[in-house]
Amino acid sequence: DGGITQSPKYLFRKEGQNVTLSCEQNLNHDAMYWYRQDPGQGLRLIYYSQIVNDFQKGDIAEGYSVSREKKESFPLTVTSAQKNPTAFYLCASREQAGVSSYEQYFGPGTRLTVT
Amino acid sequence: QKEVEQNSGPLSVPEGAIASLNCTYSDRGSQSFFWYRQYSGKSPELIMFIYSNGDKEDGRFTAQLNKASQYVSLLIRDSQPSDSATYLCASTHGGSYIPTFGRGTSLIVHP
């Protein structure tokens, strides 16, 4: 079964701790994305990657970091510098970043709660 | 600034009615348009995409695109309570790496 997996589904952390969210895809997609969604809000882009070993900041990258060492993996680290990290985090992938007709596929999401 | 605008709703329709969801976009260079359905607490799932002006039908869903007026719509015929969700509209521009999403319209189908 091809798809995107995110783990864990729910994550609880204390304030001041860094936490890493996992995202793996076996769709052989080139591009991968991280979004944040707050209640009643749309999707806000955190980081995206078009190819391995390359990534770019999205609209709200402050307090987050990513890596893209393998095509299938794009982990997101939420650092202690992120002021309001509690949110629903969505990972997505797309076959080719620069082709307009390709849709994004989303993982199931990770709900992060920081107290 | 590329923008995709949607009425946040909620749009409430009775079961069996046609639900009409609308989306406007600001970037005239937008080429492809996508409708995603997102149930509460779940991730978005693609239900329709459209590239050409006119209508595209898939089961109970019809996507409509009017590039001259810069709007996209999604019609859901014979609406069911299971259609109750938030519907996200997204557009992509040729050569762009980042789809632009609207904030979504909440649809409630009541029995």
Side-chain angles (χ1 to χ4, degrees), chain B residues 3-18:
Chain B
E3 290 186 341
V4 173
E5 300 284 344
Q6 295 182 258
N7 188 323
S8 62
L11 173 65
S12 182
V13 301
E15 184 174 357
I18 295 175

Side-chain angles (χ1 to χ4, degrees), chain B residues 21-108:
Chain B
L21 303 158
N22 300 311
C23 168
T24 60
Y25 59 95
S26 62
D27 180 11
R28 283 203 170 272
S30 297
Q31 296 178 327
S32 303
F33 303 87
F34 306 89
W35 283 100
Y36 290 84
R37 177 176 61 200
Q38 186 176 23
Y39 291 115
S40 181
K42 302 295 186 183
S43 62
E45 57 176 323
L46 181 72
I47 53 172
M48 289 286 287
F49 59 88
I50 187 166
Y51 315 136
S52 304
N53 270 331
D55 294 0
K56 179 181 178 183
E57 189 174 316
D58 183 1
R60 294 186 298 113
F61 299 99
T62 298
Q64 299 175 318
L65 173 60
N66 184 325
K67 289 190 177 181
S69 301
Q70 295 179 242
Y71 82 79
V72 192
S73 61
L74 178 70
L75 302 179
I76 306 175
R77 288 182 299 282
D78 189 23
S79 295
Q80 301 297 310
S82 58
D83 294 325
S84 299
T86 295
Y87 289 80
L88 302 171
C89 174
S91 70
T92 57
H93 185 122
S96 168
Y97 303 106
I98 308 168
T100 302
F101 281 88
R103 295 180 69 171
T105 298
S106 173
L107 173 66
I108 299 171

Side-chain angles (χ1 to χ4, degrees), chain A residues 11 13 19 21 28 36 45 51 67 78 85 87 91 103 108:
Chain A
L11 190 54
R13 279 292 182 269
V19 60
L21 282 58
N28 199 35
R36 169 184 172 138
L45 182 66
I51 56 172
S67 63
V78 184
C91 179
E103 65 269 29

Side-chain angles (χ1 to χ4, degrees), chain A residues 87-102:
Chain A
F88 187 42
Y89 289 88
L90 288 159
C91 179
S93 71
R94 193 161 169 235
E95 187 165 343
Q96 287 184 32
V99 178
S100 67
S101 58
Y102 289 121

